[in-house]
Amino acid sequence: MSYLEYCSNCGKKNIYGFIDGGLRYHCLNCNSIHYENPKPTSTLICPESKNILLVKRAVEPGKGLWGLPGGFIELNETPDQAAIRELKEETNLDGRVNCQLGYTSHFNSLHGDILLLAFLMDVSDFKDMVAGDDADDAKLFPLNQLPQLAFTSHEKIVEMYINYLNKLKLSV
Ligand SMILES: [Zn+2]
């Protein structure tokens, strides 16, 4: 059963078909259209000198692989707040958002379509780093010797960071 098989408004069976400009689940009984959107995440680059922080993923997707810290933005939470919270939950580190590096998308993941907002974080002290929550391990890796990352989207965010560093060099 798909999660949109039944109308969340009236409980009758939805149909899947073209309506309001796209293919969507909708209900012929109460005329509800069940719009779907990508889920936003905050995904983090946390540099320490020439290293960046990676976490070993404790859950699927990408279990056992290294990835950037981060996670889904909760209701009533800004992307910045999500960034700070996820960093704390996964690594016990306190950070603050320096700037947004960009964004990328991951389609058809285990959680559906994901919108990744990439943030550059300032972490002043890495000594209290402890892997927690969805992370089995947390470690700093040299930027030029990263392991294979769990997702192409995370590799794209690392590229954004490298481009950002290159622009900084050009501007000084
Ligand atoms: Zn309905």
Side-chain angles (χ1 to χ4, degrees), residues 122-160:
D122 288 334
V123 178
S124 54
D125 192 348
F126 283 82
K127 79 170 166 28
D128 293 330
M129 186 160 69
V130 182
D133 198 29
D134 295 342
D136 268 343
D137 197 3
K139 214 165 122 181
L140 291 160
F141 285 86
L143 191 54
N144 59 4
Q145 288 171 48
L146 296 182
Q148 163 116 41
L149 299 185
F151 311 109
T152 308
S153 55
H154 286 196
E155 282 167 4
K156 283 184 191 158
I157 290 171
V158 170
E159 280 170 35
M160 286 175 207

Side-chain angles (χ1 to χ4, degrees), residues 7 9-12 27 29-32:
C7 176
N9 187 47
C10 75
K12 298 281 184 197
C27 175
N29 184 54
C30 72
N31 295 322
S32 293

Side-chain angles (χ1 to χ4, degrees), residues 27-39:
C27 175
L28 297 178
N29 184 54
C30 72
N31 295 322
S32 293
I33 303 173
H34 300 281
Y35 295 96
E36 294 177 274
N37 307 96
K39 291 190 174 80

